[in-house]
Amino acid sequence: MAADGGVQSVRRAIGLLGCFGGGDASLSLSDLSRRMDLSTSTTHRLARTLTAAGFLEQEDRTGRYRLGPSITELGQLSFHRRGLHRIAPELAELARITSATVDLAVRNDRHAVILSGGSLNPDSGVGLRRPLHSTALGKVLLAWDPEGSADLEALGPLRALTGRTIVDHAELRTELDRVREAGYALNDGESGDGVRTVAVPVLDRRNHARYALAVRSTPLVISDARISWFAAHARTCARALEVLLIPPAERRLRPSS
């Protein structure tokens, strides 16, 4: 029973930190309690424990909570150990060639989380997390996932963001088959009207997507006739990112010359 209680406490602590994953820089105790669906006293104990460990900090004037220095430290360690500090020139060059917004993302549960790119709002954090089912980034991460598409039902109900969003699991499975066959994913107004995105995988030796790379613009720029051109340039960049982001023993083998 004690072990079960410990697991519950850990899950609650993780959930509380996850409350800051949206666009809010700080949250009050009542905000956290409501989002966690916990009593104020329980939420306060969790917040106090996380503050003592540096994962949260409390503003002196307002009493509101924000992410603390321990989160910043771990984030910086992860960013550099993944090699993400080395990729800015590659993303910038792809953006220059295509005149499109370029983003790199990784899967986290039901979302594609953008790690680097032009879609992020650094002040608010808006744009950091994107649904898997309605984005080209997400489709790539699903199509080349180690588990394949067998876990699509685990995504839960697929919310419609526009009239073009795929909301049926069987239709999404068919779409992922098409993505794998084509070698790229297309988001044609499925997450926002007037937006078209082409995404490709950054693959490892097992042909699993470690990351997804996307170029985003409008249908006028990424026209039907130029989709393959954008996909080809994204693939070239993705191969460069494989060298920068994936350990040598886990990289895809290069064809012999």
Side-chain angles (χ1 to χ4, degrees):
M1 294 295 292
D4 290 343
V7 170
Q8 183 186 61
S9 296
V10 171
R11 286 176 175 167
R12 285 177 171 177
I14 293 172
L16 193 144
L17 292 174
C19 292
F20 294 87
D24 299 300
S26 65
L27 295 168
S28 68
L29 183 63
S30 59
D31 291 333
L32 292 169
S33 177
R34 183 174 61 255
R35 295 186 183 192
M36 291 291 294
D37 195 22
L38 294 172
S39 68
T40 301
S41 60
T42 299
T43 305
H44 182 256
R45 286 196 299 271
L46 284 169
R48 186 174 58 193
T49 299
L50 290 168
T51 300
F55 290 99
L56 293 179
E57 57 186 12
Q58 193 171 21
E59 299 173 356
D60 292 333
R61 185 176 62 84
T62 66
R64 293 170 68 88
Y65 292 90
R66 62 192 176 198
L67 294 176
S70 293
I71 291 288
T72 303
E73 180 182 3
L74 291 174
Q76 286 293 320
L77 284 171
S78 176
F79 189 85
H80 283 79
R81 287 175 180 172
R82 282 179 176 268
L84 293 167
H85 60 293
R86 298 193 293 262
I87 68 172
E90 298 292 343
L91 300 189
E93 179 64 7
L94 180 60
R96 184 192 67 79
I97 292 171
T98 61
S99 298
T101 300
V102 174
D103 293 308
L104 184 77
V106 67
R107 181 177 180 176
N108 185 10
D109 194 22
R110 301 178 185 182
H111 294 88
V113 177
I114 296 179
L115 302 174
S116 184
S119 292
L120 291 177
N121 183 325
D123 296 322
S124 67
V126 172
L128 181 66
R129 305 175 83 199
R130 303 291 176 85
L132 291 173
H133 71 285
S134 62
T135 59
L137 288 166
K139 290 178 188 178
V140 161
L141 293 168
L142 287 171
W144 282 277
D145 184 271
E147 304 300 325
S149 60
D151 64 341
L152 291 186
E153 283 71 18
L155 298 177
L158 306 180
R159 186 166 69 93
L161 301 180
T162 72
R164 291 173 173 258
T165 308
I166 297 174
V167 295
D168 178 76
H169 290 92
E171 186 179 350
L172 179 59
R173 186 172 285 107
T174 299
E175 171 70 359
L176 296 182
D177 289 339
R178 188 206 66 77
V179 168
R180 281 188 291 270
E181 182 178 355
Y184 66 87
L186 181 68
N187 168 11
D188 195 5
E190 296 162 54
S191 57
D193 294 325
V195 176
R196 179 175 276 184
T197 307
V198 176
V200 299
V202 179
L203 296 168
D204 63 18
R205 185 183 290 261
R206 298 176 297 166
N207 215 38
H208 297 158
R210 294 291 186 92
Y211 304 89
L213 176 68
V215 288
R216 177 175 61 86
S217 190
T218 67
L220 183 63
V221 175
I222 306 179
S223 63
D224 292 348
R226 301 191 75 206
I227 288 175
S228 296
W229 182 87
F230 279 90
H233 281 287
R235 285 194 195 98
T236 298
C237 183
R239 292 306 294 260
L241 295 182
E242 290 174 14
V243 176
L244 295 173
L245 297 176
I246 299 177
E250 300 171 25
R251 291 177 196 154
R252 284 197 292 168
L253 296 175
R254 301 282 172 167
S256 56
S257 55

PDB file of all heavy atoms in Angstrom, residues 91-102 214-217 221-222 226 229-231 233-234:
ATOM      1  N   LEU A  91      18.755  24.072 -39.624  1.00  0.00           N
ATOM      2  CA  LEU A  91      17.363  24.518 -39.711  1.00  0.00           C
ATOM      3  C   LEU A  91      17.263  25.868 -40.406  1.00  0.00           C
ATOM      4  O   LEU A  91      16.342  26.102 -41.200  1.00  0.00           O
ATOM      5  CB  LEU A  91      16.750  24.597 -38.314  1.00  0.00           C
ATOM      6  CG  LEU A  91      16.693  23.310 -37.492  1.00  0.00           C
ATOM      7  CD1 LEU A  91      15.855  23.523 -36.232  1.00  0.00           C
ATOM      8  CD2 LEU A  91      16.148  22.145 -38.300  1.00  0.00           C
ATOM      9  N   ALA A  92      18.215  26.757 -40.102  1.00  0.00           N
ATOM     10  CA  ALA A  92      18.206  28.080 -40.729  1.00  0.00           C
ATOM     11  C   ALA A  92      18.414  27.975 -42.240  1.00  0.00           C
ATOM     12  O   ALA A  92      17.792  28.707 -43.020  1.00  0.00           O
ATOM     13  CB  ALA A  92      19.279  28.965 -40.098  1.00  0.00           C
ATOM     14  N   GLU A  93      19.287  27.067 -42.668  1.00  0.00           N
ATOM     15  CA  GLU A  93      19.542  26.898 -44.099  1.00  0.00           C
ATOM     16  C   GLU A  93      18.316  26.337 -44.810  1.00  0.00           C
ATOM     17  O   GLU A  93      17.968  26.777 -45.920  1.00  0.00           O
ATOM     18  CB  GLU A  93      20.742  25.974 -44.311  1.00  0.00           C
ATOM     19  CG  GLU A  93      21.095  25.705 -45.770  1.00  0.00           C
ATOM     20  CD  GLU A  93      21.540  26.928 -46.543  1.00  0.00           C
ATOM     21  OE1 GLU A  93      21.708  28.008 -45.935  1.00  0.00           O
ATOM     22  OE2 GLU A  93      21.714  26.808 -47.779  1.00  0.00           O
ATOM     23  N   LEU A  94      17.635  25.388 -44.184  1.00  0.00           N
ATOM     24  CA  LEU A  94      16.407  24.855 -44.779  1.00  0.00           C
ATOM     25  C   LEU A  94      15.341  25.946 -44.874  1.00  0.00           C
ATOM     26  O   LEU A  94      14.633  26.041 -45.882  1.00  0.00           O
ATOM     27  CB  LEU A  94      15.890  23.674 -43.948  1.00  0.00           C
ATOM     28  CG  LEU A  94      14.602  23.010 -44.447  1.00  0.00           C
ATOM     29  CD1 LEU A  94      14.772  22.458 -45.862  1.00  0.00           C
ATOM     30  CD2 LEU A  94      14.165  21.897 -43.481  1.00  0.00           C
ATOM     31  N   ALA A  95      15.227  26.773 -43.837  1.00  0.00           N
ATOM     32  CA  ALA A  95      14.270  27.875 -43.869  1.00  0.00           C
ATOM     33  C   ALA A  95      14.619  28.868 -44.977  1.00  0.00           C
ATOM     34  O   ALA A  95      13.732  29.396 -45.660  1.00  0.00           O
ATOM     35  CB  ALA A  95      14.237  28.573 -42.512  1.00  0.00           C
ATOM     36  N   ARG A  96      15.921  29.108 -45.172  1.00  0.00           N
ATOM     37  CA  ARG A  96      16.342  30.046 -46.221  1.00  0.00           C
ATOM     38  C   ARG A  96      16.014  29.507 -47.612  1.00  0.00           C
ATOM     39  O   ARG A  96      15.482  30.233 -48.465  1.00  0.00           O
ATOM     40  CB  ARG A  96      17.851  30.296 -46.111  1.00  0.00           C
ATOM     41  CG  ARG A  96      18.377  31.344 -47.094  1.00  0.00           C
ATOM     42  CD  ARG A  96      19.889  31.350 -47.161  1.00  0.00           C
ATOM     43  NE  ARG A  96      20.421  30.123 -47.753  1.00  0.00           N
ATOM     44  CZ  ARG A  96      20.448  29.895 -49.072  1.00  0.00           C
ATOM     45  NH1 ARG A  96      19.964  30.793 -49.925  1.00  0.00           N
ATOM     46  NH2 ARG A  96      20.951  28.765 -49.542  1.00  0.00           N
ATOM     47  N   ILE A  97      16.313  28.227 -47.831  1.00  0.00           N
ATOM     48  CA  ILE A  97      16.089  27.634 -49.147  1.00  0.00           C
ATOM     49  C   ILE A  97      14.605  27.589 -49.490  1.00  0.00           C
ATOM     50  O   ILE A  97      14.206  27.871 -50.621  1.00  0.00           O
ATOM     51  CB  ILE A  97      16.687  26.215 -49.198  1.00  0.00           C
ATOM     52  CG1 ILE A  97      18.220  26.286 -49.137  1.00  0.00           C
ATOM     53  CG2 ILE A  97      16.247  25.475 -50.459  1.00  0.00           C
ATOM     54  CD1 ILE A  97      18.869  24.927 -48.973  1.00  0.00           C
ATOM     55  N   THR A  98      13.780  27.235 -48.509  1.00  0.00           N
ATOM     56  CA  THR A  98      12.353  27.015 -48.773  1.00  0.00           C
ATOM     57  C   THR A  98      11.481  28.234 -48.513  1.00  0.00           C
ATOM     58  O   THR A  98      10.312  28.246 -48.904  1.00  0.00           O
ATOM     59  CB  THR A  98      11.839  25.859 -47.900  1.00  0.00           C
ATOM     60  OG1 THR A  98      12.005  26.209 -46.514  1.00  0.00           O
ATOM     61  CG2 THR A  98      12.573  24.564 -48.203  1.00  0.00           C
ATOM     62  N   SER A  99      12.023  29.245 -47.833  1.00  0.00           N
ATOM     63  CA  SER A  99      11.226  30.416 -47.410  1.00  0.00           C
ATOM     64  C   SER A  99      10.015  29.983 -46.589  1.00  0.00           C
ATOM     65  O   SER A  99       8.932  30.570 -46.672  1.00  0.00           O
ATOM     66  CB  SER A  99      10.771  31.240 -48.626  1.00  0.00           C
ATOM     67  OG  SER A  99      11.887  31.754 -49.325  1.00  0.00           O
ATOM     68  N   ALA A 100      10.201  28.929 -45.792  1.00  0.00           N
ATOM     69  CA  ALA A 100       9.131  28.391 -44.960  1.00  0.00           C
ATOM     70  C   ALA A 100       9.577  28.355 -43.509  1.00  0.00           C
ATOM     71  O   ALA A 100      10.769  28.489 -43.202  1.00  0.00           O
ATOM     72  CB  ALA A 100       8.756  26.978 -45.427  1.00  0.00           C
ATOM     73  N   THR A 101       8.626  28.195 -42.611  1.00  0.00           N
ATOM     74  CA  THR A 101       8.936  28.001 -41.198  1.00  0.00           C
ATOM     75  C   THR A 101       9.368  26.559 -40.995  1.00  0.00           C
ATOM     76  O   THR A 101       8.719  25.632 -41.485  1.00  0.00           O
ATOM     77  CB  THR A 101       7.707  28.300 -40.333  1.00  0.00           C
ATOM     78  OG1 THR A 101       7.311  29.658 -40.542  1.00  0.00           O
ATOM     79  CG2 THR A 101       8.014  28.100 -38.857  1.00  0.00           C
ATOM     80  N   VAL A 102      10.457  26.362 -40.281  1.00  0.00           N
ATOM     81  CA  VAL A 102      11.028  25.030 -40.082  1.00  0.00           C
ATOM     82  C   VAL A 102      10.963  24.675 -38.597  1.00  0.00           C
ATOM     83  O   VAL A 102      11.300  25.498 -37.744  1.00  0.00           O
ATOM     84  CB  VAL A 102      12.482  24.978 -40.577  1.00  0.00           C
ATOM     85  CG1 VAL A 102      13.137  23.642 -40.236  1.00  0.00           C
ATOM     86  CG2 VAL A 102      12.533  25.224 -42.076  1.00  0.00           C
ATOM     87  N   ALA A 214       9.766  19.502 -40.070  1.00  0.00           N
ATOM     88  CA  ALA A 214       8.676  20.029 -40.893  1.00  0.00           C
ATOM     89  C   ALA A 214       9.024  21.371 -41.491  1.00  0.00           C
ATOM     90  O   ALA A 214       9.765  22.170 -40.904  1.00  0.00           O
ATOM     91  CB  ALA A 214       7.400  20.166 -40.061  1.00  0.00           C
ATOM     92  N   VAL A 215       8.473  21.623 -42.677  1.00  0.00           N
ATOM     93  CA  VAL A 215       8.469  22.950 -43.292  1.00  0.00           C
ATOM     94  C   VAL A 215       7.010  23.372 -43.436  1.00  0.00           C
ATOM     95  O   VAL A 215       6.178  22.606 -43.908  1.00  0.00           O
ATOM     96  CB  VAL A 215       9.191  22.959 -44.659  1.00  0.00           C
ATOM     97  CG1 VAL A 215      10.686  22.813 -44.478  1.00  0.00           C
ATOM     98  CG2 VAL A 215       8.672  21.850 -45.574  1.00  0.00           C
ATOM     99  N   ARG A 216       6.712  24.599 -42.989  1.00  0.00           N
ATOM    100  CA  ARG A 216       5.320  25.048 -42.921  1.00  0.00           C
ATOM    101  C   ARG A 216       5.165  26.397 -43.612  1.00  0.00           C
ATOM    102  O   ARG A 216       5.962  27.309 -43.417  1.00  0.00           O
ATOM    103  CB  ARG A 216       4.876  25.169 -41.459  1.00  0.00           C
ATOM    104  CG  ARG A 216       3.454  25.695 -41.281  1.00  0.00           C
ATOM    105  CD  ARG A 216       3.048  25.666 -39.812  1.00  0.00           C
ATOM    106  NE  ARG A 216       3.918  26.495 -39.003  1.00  0.00           N
ATOM    107  CZ  ARG A 216       3.760  27.796 -38.814  1.00  0.00           C
ATOM    108  NH1 ARG A 216       2.764  28.417 -39.407  1.00  0.00           N
ATOM    109  NH2 ARG A 216       4.597  28.472 -38.050  1.00  0.00           N
ATOM    110  N   SER A 217       4.107  26.496 -44.431  1.00  0.00           N
ATOM    111  CA  SER A 217       3.788  27.752 -45.091  1.00  0.00           C
ATOM    112  C   SER A 217       2.309  27.724 -45.489  1.00  0.00           C
ATOM    113  O   SER A 217       1.488  27.158 -44.769  1.00  0.00           O
ATOM    114  CB  SER A 217       4.695  27.979 -46.305  1.00  0.00           C
ATOM    115  OG  SER A 217       4.544  29.292 -46.792  1.00  0.00           O
ATOM    116  N   VAL A 221       2.432  28.842 -51.315  1.00  0.00           N
ATOM    117  CA  VAL A 221       3.881  28.605 -51.355  1.00  0.00           C
ATOM    118  C   VAL A 221       4.172  27.123 -51.563  1.00  0.00           C
ATOM    119  O   VAL A 221       4.933  26.743 -52.456  1.00  0.00           O
ATOM    120  CB  VAL A 221       4.546  29.110 -50.053  1.00  0.00           C
ATOM    121  CG1 VAL A 221       6.033  28.755 -50.040  1.00  0.00           C
ATOM    122  CG2 VAL A 221       4.360  30.612 -49.905  1.00  0.00           C
ATOM    123  N   ILE A 222       3.578  26.278 -50.705  1.00  0.00           N
ATOM    124  CA  ILE A 222       3.741  24.828 -50.861  1.00  0.00           C
ATOM    125  C   ILE A 222       2.605  24.338 -51.749  1.00  0.00           C
ATOM    126  O   ILE A 222       1.624  23.740 -51.296  1.00  0.00           O
ATOM    127  CB  ILE A 222       3.743  24.113 -49.500  1.00  0.00           C
ATOM    128  CG1 ILE A 222       4.801  24.730 -48.568  1.00  0.00           C
ATOM    129  CG2 ILE A 222       4.041  22.612 -49.675  1.00  0.00           C
ATOM    130  CD1 ILE A 222       4.844  24.092 -47.181  1.00  0.00           C
ATOM    131  N   ARG A 226       4.748  21.615 -55.978  1.00  0.00           N
ATOM    132  CA  ARG A 226       6.048  21.772 -55.311  1.00  0.00           C
ATOM    133  C   ARG A 226       6.176  20.961 -54.024  1.00  0.00           C
ATOM    134  O   ARG A 226       7.189  21.061 -53.335  1.00  0.00           O
ATOM    135  CB  ARG A 226       6.299  23.248 -55.011  1.00  0.00           C
ATOM    136  CG  ARG A 226       6.312  24.149 -56.229  1.00  0.00           C
ATOM    137  CD  ARG A 226       6.829  25.533 -55.861  1.00  0.00           C
ATOM    138  NE  ARG A 226       8.274  25.534 -55.664  1.00  0.00           N
ATOM    139  CZ  ARG A 226       8.912  26.402 -54.882  1.00  0.00           C
ATOM    140  NH1 ARG A 226       8.243  27.311 -54.202  1.00  0.00           N
ATOM    141  NH2 ARG A 226      10.227  26.348 -54.762  1.00  0.00           N
ATOM    142  N   TRP A 229       9.262  18.896 -54.025  1.00  0.00           N
ATOM    143  CA  TRP A 229      10.464  19.731 -53.898  1.00  0.00           C
ATOM    144  C   TRP A 229      10.730  20.059 -52.431  1.00  0.00           C
ATOM    145  O   TRP A 229      11.866  19.949 -51.955  1.00  0.00           O
ATOM    146  CB  TRP A 229      10.276  21.006 -54.706  1.00  0.00           C
ATOM    147  CG  TRP A 229      11.457  21.935 -54.706  1.00  0.00           C
ATOM    148  CD1 TRP A 229      12.528  21.912 -55.543  1.00  0.00           C
ATOM    149  CD2 TRP A 229      11.669  23.042 -53.810  1.00  0.00           C
ATOM    150  NE1 TRP A 229      13.407  22.940 -55.233  1.00  0.00           N
ATOM    151  CE2 TRP A 229      12.908  23.643 -54.179  1.00  0.00           C
ATOM    152  CE3 TRP A 229      10.953  23.580 -52.746  1.00  0.00           C
ATOM    153  CZ2 TRP A 229      13.425  24.757 -53.517  1.00  0.00           C
ATOM    154  CZ3 TRP A 229      11.465  24.682 -52.076  1.00  0.00           C
ATOM    155  CH2 TRP A 229      12.689  25.261 -52.455  1.00  0.00           C
ATOM    156  N   PHE A 230       9.683  20.446 -51.705  1.00  0.00           N
ATOM    157  CA  PHE A 230       9.841  20.743 -50.277  1.00  0.00           C
ATOM    158  C   PHE A 230      10.237  19.481 -49.503  1.00  0.00           C
ATOM    159  O   PHE A 230      11.090  19.528 -48.618  1.00  0.00           O
ATOM    160  CB  PHE A 230       8.542  21.327 -49.711  1.00  0.00           C
ATOM    161  CG  PHE A 230       8.366  22.786 -49.988  1.00  0.00           C
ATOM    162  CD1 PHE A 230       7.715  23.215 -51.133  1.00  0.00           C
ATOM    163  CD2 PHE A 230       8.857  23.744 -49.122  1.00  0.00           C
ATOM    164  CE1 PHE A 230       7.555  24.571 -51.402  1.00  0.00           C
ATOM    165  CE2 PHE A 230       8.703  25.093 -49.372  1.00  0.00           C
ATOM    166  CZ  PHE A 230       8.044  25.512 -50.520  1.00  0.00           C
ATOM    167  N   ALA A 231       9.622  18.356 -49.843  1.00  0.00           N
ATOM    168  CA  ALA A 231       9.942  17.099 -49.154  1.00  0.00           C
ATOM    169  C   ALA A 231      11.395  16.701 -49.397  1.00  0.00           C
ATOM    170  O   ALA A 231      12.080  16.224 -48.482  1.00  0.00           O
ATOM    171  CB  ALA A 231       9.000  15.993 -49.620  1.00  0.00           C
ATOM    172  N   HIS A 233      14.024  18.663 -50.035  1.00  0.00           N
ATOM    173  CA  HIS A 233      14.932  19.511 -49.259  1.00  0.00           C
ATOM    174  C   HIS A 233      14.848  19.187 -47.769  1.00  0.00           C
ATOM    175  O   HIS A 233      15.869  19.218 -47.063  1.00  0.00           O
ATOM    176  CB  HIS A 233      14.617  20.982 -49.507  1.00  0.00           C
ATOM    177  CG  HIS A 233      15.170  21.503 -50.791  1.00  0.00           C
ATOM    178  ND1 HIS A 233      16.516  21.746 -50.972  1.00  0.00           N
ATOM    179  CD2 HIS A 233      14.563  21.802 -51.976  1.00  0.00           C
ATOM    180  CE1 HIS A 233      16.719  22.187 -52.206  1.00  0.00           C
ATOM    181  NE2 HIS A 233      15.554  22.224 -52.837  1.00  0.00           N
ATOM    182  N   ALA A 234      13.652  18.854 -47.291  1.00  0.00           N
ATOM    183  CA  ALA A 234      13.516  18.465 -45.884  1.00  0.00           C
ATOM    184  C   ALA A 234      14.265  17.168 -45.614  1.00  0.00           C
ATOM    185  O   ALA A 234      14.914  17.020 -44.570  1.00  0.00           O
ATOM    186  CB  ALA A 234      12.037  18.321 -45.522  1.00  0.00           C
TER     187      ALA A 234
END
